Amino acid sequence: MTLFDYLFIVLIEPLKLLFEVVFYYSYKFSGNVALSIVVISLVINLLVLPLYKYAEKLEKEQRKKKQSIKPWADRIKASFKGDERVMMLQAYYRENDYKVTSVFKESVSLFLQIPFFMAAYSFLSELKILQGVSLGPIADLASPDSLISIGAFSINALPILMTLINIVSSFIYSEKGNIRDKIKLVLIALIFLVLLYNSPAGLVFYWTLNNIFSLGKNIVMHFRKSKPEAELNKVTFKFEKRSLAVIMLSCVSLAVLTGVMIPSDVVFQSPFEMTNTLSYDPHSPLLYLLVSAFIAIGVFLIWIPVFICFSNARAKLFASYFLPCITIASVINYFVFNKNFGLLSHKLIYNYDMRFDLKEILINLLVDLAVVLTVLFLSVKFKKIIKHLMAVVLLAICMISAVRVIAIVITLSGFNYMYRNTSEDVNIELSATGQNVVVIMLDKMTGSYIPYIFNERPDVAAKFSGFTYYPNTVSFGQFTNFASPAMYGGYDYTPEMIDARSDELLKDKHNEALLTLPVIFSERGWIVNVGDPSYANYQWIPDLSIYDEYDGINAYHMSGVFNDKMPLLTDAGEELEIRLNRNMFCYGFMKTLPYILQPVAYSYGSYCFLNYNVNNSYIANSSHIQYGLYEKHIQEQLVLDSLVDVIDISQEPDNCFFILSNGSTHDVSLLKEPDYTPAIYVDNTEYDAAHEDRFTVDGVTMHMDTDYCTYAAYQCSMEALISLGKWFDYLRENGLYDNTRIIIVSDHGFGLKQFDDLYVDDLDFDAQSVNPILLVKDFNSSSFKVSEEFMTNADMPSIALEGIVEDPVNPFTNNPINQSNKSGELLIYCSGETSIYINNGTRFVDPDGFWLTVHDNIFVEDNWALYPGEPN
């Protein structure tokens, strides 16, 4: 961003936000675009009326002073020359308290118009809802009106009407006989004509309404006598001496609270999730905090003080009492009444609708009222105390904000926001004459879905000929940071074994696991390709540099590099940038409001903004209905769909290993049934009701009403297997299927309480969360099989190496890679501390974490038990 961009954010963006909020609710209640423009014009004019009254007062005072000194100034100019004239004029001006710069006071009204004009221009010229909307003879408010046509030549009549009204208003406003002022105002009107002549009719209509309101105001003011100001000035003097510090402390506190502290809390939870990976130029999320801070500065340190400064003495005195109350209540609302509604997405949208019950609202209002009355009492009775109290509040907010921002900076230090490669760079070699081993990790996919998917879609099941399905499979954790190391590297990297090596960083042990198979295969001359290794170097976007020191290993970023296959994702990246820049502050402001007002500011995740592309706004209203596309899911799914395009078929007798981690089953979204494809609008209500019998197979029912995303998880698992099935057809057609060992595995399952046999009642534990998918196709296998053998996803490395490497050994621990460790009780670590930016020491740490044991069969409840204490 340039300096002008930041000036625009500070000075214009707060006004633009005001336009957006007023227009949003006027349109929501009226449904009429033209009427909404009338409303924002009326509201804005009423709000700025005190500013213009004060500006006109300054201008009149300046004109009177200028006229009073003009005779003697003219005499000096006529009597003296050169430096003497300059010195005499300066002395005369100083004696009469007149500065040369005071001439700018004559144009205060114009200076006030400029930011409001820029805000209106920025808002209305970009407003997509104007497109195709007519107003009387004007066909399209998003285009110039072209009301008058002469042959092929058209004239925009609305700007001309606007200018005529402006000129009439100027003549009424300027004093009688003051030709110079009249000429100046006419020139200004003509400048606006030039600026707005080819602008959208909606914008010109708004400015015309402004001129009409201005004309009406000038007519009223022309016939109204001014009231004496002596007593007001006396009160103003008292206000300035005792209350300015309290007002400014309150404003600064609100600016830091809404613009820095609350947004930094959001970013701190997961800094890399707040990185716009849809953008061609991803950058640090700290820039969003900077923009939020600048907007808050504009709102609380520029415009609110301006309105207070230009208001009358009574309003100033009211502000000195009111602002401290608002500040303390805002702090209480955030720290005490900070209610969330499920997970907050990277778009700052909650999973669930924002709803408060009446009891919550009343309690919040009563507490806020008590706070306001207490602070008001202190403001009236103990003026010095309230000043010190506000200073303490500001200091506390600043300290918390600083700690959060420093933590974010430390977390993000050294992170590269750019992808290492483009889609053209991705080249996955498979051999038609040698052997291939392919591992596809479908993050979070539940293994128990397979019978239901294959029962519903026999055509998909047919694509998996040669595979063996292992339903009785367990993972060693419920989340990627705990469960994926064992999947990648085997039993040396279960949570128990990782914690045992307490003198080494979790990051280094995780990297070892990711490197295990690629290093073993590359050391034996295999061509190795790796795609999107989970949390490589403990980074949200994998840090592929962990592979750089090893020859023969090619590592790629694949998620996000195929966005060009869906142009909609490019638009989504631009829109997400708008959301994060604008809505960080809006979210912060919303969280300081009382419960009764939060849904008004939140407005279903739009934050009172109508200019989003509806097809890019992801809102799941139920388990069956969804508006918009979930870009993160599409990014991941595009990787699976693009596998056909990135395969380089070699006719040389080379051996190839390829391992890919994919999140299409993790970042789930509702899909349009029965094709299981993304759609801008999804409503599966009727289809799901008519086909609910598909969720009962062999007398076992999979529950679909236990969580809001049960359908999304199932549908995305179906979609992933459909895509892989198409890729298997490609392998068959090119002679690559029989000579390829394929392992489909996940790091853990999805805990949605869908299977009675997987819910351990005595422990209140859902084993679906540790039931990963495991499908294995060996070389030259042809028939589909189901094996009830007890497996873990840590068996994946030994399966991949079986028959290829005799007695394989882990290159880092020198321990054998086999399946012997799963005999007896297995320790499963359960923890909700999933952040790799917090849980990143030498051991997995969580005060609420616990260990479970399981053996032989995860579907038998008695096989599960709580492990007492800590292992090792």
Side-chain angles (χ1 to χ4, degrees):
M1 286 188 179
T2 64
L3 177 61
F4 177 80
D5 292 326
Y6 285 113
L7 287 174
F8 183 92
I9 291 168
V10 171
L11 298 175
I12 309 303
E13 192 65 29
L15 301 179
K16 188 178 175 184
L17 282 173
L18 178 61
F19 277 78
E20 289 164 354
V21 171
V22 175
F23 186 88
Y24 179 89
Y25 277 103
S26 59
Y27 181 74
K28 180 179 179 179
F29 289 112
S30 70
N32 187 293
V33 171
L35 182 58
S36 300
I37 294 176
V38 174
V39 171
I40 59 172
S41 178
L42 178 61
V43 170
I44 298 301
N45 273 277
L46 290 175
L47 284 174
V48 302
L49 187 60
L51 300 185
Y52 283 119
K53 286 178 66 176
Y54 189 84
E56 288 167 6
K57 175 187 170 185
L58 289 178
E59 289 173 351
K60 287 179 180 179
E61 290 175 354
Q62 174 60 23
R63 282 194 294 267
K64 287 179 180 178
K65 179 172 286 191
K66 190 174 180 180
Q67 289 170 0
S68 67
I69 66 172
K70 187 176 185 299
W72 274 101
D74 289 343
R75 286 188 183 186
I76 291 172
K77 290 176 183 178
S79 303
F80 301 95
K81 294 181 179 180
D83 292 342
E84 189 176 10
R85 175 199 286 179
V86 173
M87 293 177 63
M88 292 292 291
L89 282 173
Q90 287 177 343
Y92 179 64
Y93 289 157
R94 188 163 52 249
E95 182 182 341
N96 288 274
D97 193 26
Y98 179 83
K99 299 184 178 73
V100 176
T101 54
S102 297
V103 70
F104 292 113
K105 291 183 179 178
E106 297 181 30
S107 302
V108 175
S109 295
L110 174 62
F111 294 146
L112 279 175
Q113 285 189 59
I114 291 173
F116 285 93
F117 170 75
M118 293 179 68
Y121 189 91
S122 178
F123 171 58
L124 290 169
S125 62
E126 300 170 355
L127 192 58
K128 297 171 185 174
I129 202 170
L130 296 180
Q131 296 173 0
V133 176
S134 61
L135 175 62
I138 302 173
D140 186 0
L141 287 176
S143 304
D145 61 82
S146 303
L147 286 177
I148 302 173
S149 297
I150 304 174
F153 184 73
S154 61
I155 299 174
N156 299 325
L158 200 54
I160 297 173
L161 176 62
M162 173 198 73
T163 304
L164 292 175
I165 295 171
N166 203 353
I167 291 173
V168 172
S169 178
S170 299
F171 273 80
I172 295 174
Y173 170 74
S174 56
E175 293 183 0
K176 184 177 180 180
N178 195 333
I179 300 299
R180 185 177 177 182
D181 284 343
K182 286 182 169 61
I183 293 173
K184 182 183 74 173
L185 293 172
V186 169
L187 287 175
I188 293 171
L190 293 175
I191 289 172
F192 275 103
L193 173 63
V194 173
L195 290 174
L196 295 176
Y197 183 76
N198 286 313
S199 295
L203 173 62
V204 183
F205 176 58
Y206 166 79
W207 207 251
T208 303
L209 290 171
N210 273 10
N211 290 338
I212 292 173
F213 289 132
S214 178
L215 175 61
K217 178 198 68 175
N218 289 339
I219 291 173
V220 172
M221 297 291 286
H222 183 75
F223 294 103
R224 184 181 177 186
K225 293 181 179 180
S226 62
K227 295 183 179 180
E229 300 283 344
E231 187 61 29
L232 291 180
N233 290 335
K234 183 178 178 182
V235 178
T236 302
F237 175 78
K238 291 181 181 178
F239 153 78
E240 292 173 347
K241 288 294 184 181
R242 78 184 186 197
S243 303
L244 180 61
V246 172
I247 286 180
M248 292 313 299
L249 284 170
S250 300
C251 286
V252 175
S253 298
L254 287 170
V256 178
L257 178 66
T258 60
V260 181
M261 198 195 82
I262 297 176
S264 66
D265 277 350
V266 174
V267 175
F268 177 75
Q269 298 306 315
S270 185
F272 297 104
E273 269 199 281
M274 302 311 296
T275 302
N276 184 3
T277 58
L278 295 171
S279 170
Y280 284 117
D281 185 25
H283 54 72
S284 169
L286 285 171
L287 287 180
Y288 302 128
L289 291 184
L290 186 62
V291 172
S292 175
F294 274 107
I295 295 175
I297 289 170
V299 172
F300 295 107
L301 299 181
I302 302 294
W303 285 108
I304 287 181
V306 164
F307 274 88
I308 293 173
C309 180
F310 281 28
S311 61
N312 60 39
R314 183 178 298 174
K316 291 175 182 176
L317 205 56
F318 176 77
S320 70
Y321 291 127
F322 182 68
L323 279 173
C325 300
I326 290 296
T327 303
I328 303 297
S330 296
V331 172
I332 296 296
N333 285 336
Y334 183 65
F335 283 100
V336 179
F337 296 97
N338 187 5
K339 183 177 180 179
N340 294 314
F341 300 87
L343 295 175
L344 187 70
S345 76
H346 64 295
K347 291 184 177 182
L348 304 179
I349 300 175
Y350 285 116
N351 282 348
Y352 304 112
D353 288 342
M354 180 178 284
R355 292 176 182 172
F356 300 97
D357 58 45
L358 182 59
K359 181 180 178 181
E360 291 175 322
I361 292 173
L362 290 176
I363 292 173
N364 177 228
L365 286 176
L366 288 172
V367 171
D368 281 351
L369 180 60
V371 168
V372 168
L373 293 175
T374 302
V375 176
L376 195 59
F377 175 78
L378 292 174
S379 298
V380 174
K381 296 295 184 181
F382 305 97
K383 301 179 182 66
K384 291 184 178 180
I385 290 180
I386 197 66
K387 179 180 175 181
H388 295 311
L389 174 63
M390 296 313 301
V392 170
V393 169
L394 175 58
L395 180 62
I397 293 172
C398 288
M399 289 179 65
I400 295 172
S401 301
V403 170
R404 280 285 185 255
V405 172
I406 291 170
I408 295 168
V409 170
I410 293 172
T411 301
L412 295 172
S413 59
F415 180 73
N416 181 13
Y417 298 92
M418 300 301 294
Y419 292 123
R420 184 166 172 168
N421 54 268
T422 66
S423 58
E424 288 77 13
D425 298 324
V426 181
N427 184 65
I428 310 300
E429 186 171 335
L430 293 180
S431 174
T433 55
Q435 288 184 317
N436 306 301
V437 174
V438 174
V439 178
I440 307 290
M441 194 277 269
L442 296 177
D443 197 335
K444 207 175 184 178
M445 182 171 173
T446 297
S448 293
Y449 281 168
I450 295 300
Y452 300 90
I453 291 173
F454 285 178
N455 176 68
E456 180 182 350
R457 292 289 297 268
D459 59 317
V460 175
K463 311 285 187 184
F464 285 76
S465 61
F467 277 86
T468 298
Y469 165 51
Y470 296 92
N472 187 23
T473 302
V474 71
S475 66
F476 288 87
Q478 301 167 293
F479 298 99
T480 301
N481 55 332
F482 311 121
S484 67
M487 186 213 72
Y488 282 112
Y491 289 92
D492 282 340
Y493 302 101
T494 65
E496 176 189 7
M497 297 303 292
I498 284 178
D499 278 356
R501 294 162 59 183
S502 58
D503 57 341
E504 302 172 61
L505 291 174
L506 290 173
K507 175 186 72 173
D508 297 333
K509 291 175 278 192
H510 185 90
N511 289 344
E512 275 186 21
L514 294 174
L515 286 163
T516 299
L517 284 180
V519 168
I520 291 174
F521 278 108
S522 66
E523 287 179 344
R524 285 156 179 77
W526 285 53
I527 297 170
V528 176
N529 290 284
V530 179
D532 294 333
S534 307
Y535 292 161
N537 219 22
Y538 259 31
Q539 299 290 342
W540 183 262
I541 299 177
D543 180 0
L544 304 182
S545 65
I546 68 170
Y547 299 97
D548 287 350
E549 63 180 279
Y550 299 96
D551 295 332
I553 300 178
N554 307 302
Y556 301 104
H557 287 129
M558 297 181 71
S559 174
V561 304
F562 298 102
N563 290 355
D564 54 351
K565 291 196 170 187
M566 183 173 281
L568 191 60
L569 288 181
T570 302
D571 298 337
E574 295 173 357
E575 181 176 289
L576 182 56
E577 195 71 9
I578 294 171
R579 280 181 181 271
L580 291 174
N581 279 319
R582 176 189 184 273
N583 292 350
M584 276 291 183
F585 168 77
C586 294
Y587 176 84
F589 182 78
M590 179 269 294
K591 294 296 284 186
T592 65
L593 297 175
Y595 281 164
I596 195 170
L597 294 179
Q598 283 191 22
V600 176
Y602 179 67
S603 56
Y604 300 98
S606 72
Y607 298 92
C608 303
F609 188 60
L610 281 173
N611 222 26
Y612 300 125
N613 292 322
V614 66
N615 52 356
N616 290 333
S617 303
Y618 171 67
I619 302 174
N621 279 14
S622 70
S623 297
H624 312 282
I625 301 173
Q626 175 181 295
Y627 298 91
L629 300 173
Y630 185 23
E631 297 91 345
K632 279 195 171 184
H633 171 76
I634 295 174
Q635 274 187 303
E636 297 290 338
Q637 182 59 33
L638 282 173
V639 175
L640 299 182
D641 292 338
S642 301
L643 287 176
V644 172
D645 302 320
V646 300
I647 298 300
D648 180 13
I649 302 175
S650 171
Q651 298 299 325
E652 300 297 324
D654 299 319
N655 298 317
C656 303
F657 174 69
F658 172 44
I659 183 168
L660 169 68
S661 173
N662 183 260
S664 62
T665 49
H666 182 282
D667 299 309
V668 296
S669 166
L670 287 181
L671 304 172
K672 192 172 183 62
E673 295 173 326
D675 297 328
Y676 294 96
T677 54
I680 292 172
Y681 175 66
V682 172
D683 185 353
N684 294 323
T685 306
E686 292 184 6
Y687 185 88
D688 289 338
H691 297 84
E692 58 184 17
D693 58 333
R694 61 188 160 144
F695 299 122
T696 299
V697 175
D698 296 332
V700 178
T701 297
M702 176 172 64
H703 304 298
M704 301 301 290
D705 57 354
T706 56
D707 193 277
Y708 82 100
C709 61
T710 50
Y711 280 91
Y714 174 81
Q715 290 165 7
C716 290
S717 298
M718 173 74 83
E719 179 192 33
L721 296 190
I722 291 173
S723 293
L724 289 177
K726 293 177 181 178
W727 186 56
F728 297 160
D729 284 344
Y730 168 83
L731 297 181
R732 290 185 180 95
E733 292 166 4
N734 290 277
L736 297 170
Y737 193 72
D738 290 337
N739 66 326
T740 300
R741 174 180 289 165
I742 303 173
I743 304 170
I744 300 172
V745 64
S746 56
D747 50 353
H748 54 86
F750 204 151
L752 298 173
K753 300 180 181 179
Q754 293 179 272
F755 300 95
D756 293 336
D757 289 345
L758 284 175
Y759 195 79
V760 185
D761 290 303
D762 291 344
L763 302 175
D764 191 23
F765 176 70
D766 182 16
Q768 183 181 348
S769 63
V770 291
N771 177 218
I773 183 176
L774 182 59
L775 287 164
V776 179
K777 187 200 80 69
D778 209 346
F779 301 114
N780 299 307
S781 60
S782 57
S783 59
F784 183 82
K785 302 174 184 177
V786 178
S787 171
E788 299 297 336
E789 181 183 355
F790 180 51
M791 303 290 284
T792 80
N793 58 357
D795 294 328
M796 186 276 287
S798 64
I799 296 172
L801 296 168
E802 185 179 356
I804 295 173
V805 179
E806 186 176 354
D807 298 324
V809 174
N810 185 304
F812 304 101
T813 66
N814 293 317
N815 293 325
I817 297 177
N818 54 44
Q819 302 181 27
S820 62
N821 290 31
K822 69 181 176 184
S823 59
E825 302 284 350
L826 297 180
L827 280 171
I828 313 299
Y829 183 54
C830 301
S831 167
E833 190 55 83
T834 63
S835 173
I836 55 175
Y837 311 114
I838 297 174
N839 205 343
N840 59 4
T842 59
R843 294 168 57 95
F844 294 123
V845 177
D846 180 5
D848 298 321
F850 58 93
W851 297 80
L852 298 175
T853 63
V854 66
H855 62 90
D856 298 334
N857 193 331
I858 64 171
F859 296 98
V860 176
E861 184 171 347
D862 292 341
N863 289 356
W864 290 90
L866 181 66
Y867 185 83
E870 292 276 338
N872 306 315

